[in-house]
Amino acid sequence: MNNIKIINPEGVIKAITKCNNRQFGELSNNDFEIEFSEIKPIKGYEQPVNNETGEQFPNCCIWHKNIYEQTLKWFEKFPDCCQWHKKLIGQNWFDKNNYIEVASKV
């Protein structure tokens, strides 16, 4: 996985040391970040299109359009959206712009 970014090297070293000593090594979510990356569609995939309106996903129907709009509203607040994501605020490794395409991926 090329999109894993180590943010706490000491935690990773501790986990590797345990594994080397035949113990269970564990990484906390405070030790690494999985960076947002492009997900390529499977071979033969075609973007959904509404036959009546000609609109493409996510504007193909009310259901998908609403999900997209709700995700955009959530992203405006992110990371100040919940107690867990608020912990990201002020972390020197966190950059909200790394997740700018999240609404289109939901």
Side-chain angles (χ1 to χ4, degrees):
M1 295 182 82
N2 294 334
N3 60 340
I4 294 178
K5 178 179 172 183
I6 303 301
I7 56 179
N8 180 18
E10 292 84 15
V12 174
I13 292 169
K14 183 178 176 182
I16 291 171
T17 301
K18 283 188 169 189
C19 290
N20 287 339
N21 291 322
R22 298 185 183 267
Q23 297 174 330
F24 181 75
E26 178 180 20
L27 287 178
S28 164
N29 61 342
N30 294 320
D31 297 332
F32 68 96
E33 171 192 20
I34 298 176
E35 295 179 316
F36 190 77
S37 60
E38 181 181 358
I39 299 170
K40 298 189 182 204
I42 60 173
K43 186 177 180 179
Y45 172 81
E46 292 183 22
Q47 182 102 8
V49 176
N50 184 314
N51 292 332
E52 294 175 14
T53 66
E55 292 285 340
Q56 288 189 329
F57 178 83
N59 296 313
C60 55
C61 64
I62 293 172
W63 173 257
H64 287 129
K65 188 181 258 187
N66 284 339
I67 291 173
Y68 180 74
E69 290 172 359
Q70 288 175 20
T71 306
L72 284 176
K73 286 180 186 176
W74 166 81
F75 189 72
E76 287 175 15
K77 298 175 192 172
F78 175 78
D80 201 20
C81 55
C82 65
Q83 67 183 19
W84 299 280
H85 287 135
K86 283 182 182 183
K87 293 177 184 179
L88 298 172
I89 298 171
Q91 298 294 321
N92 62 353
W93 56 267
F94 175 73
D95 183 357
K96 180 178 177 173
N97 289 325
N98 289 340
Y99 303 91
I100 201 79
E101 294 181 34
V102 73
S104 65
K105 300 302 180 183
V106 170

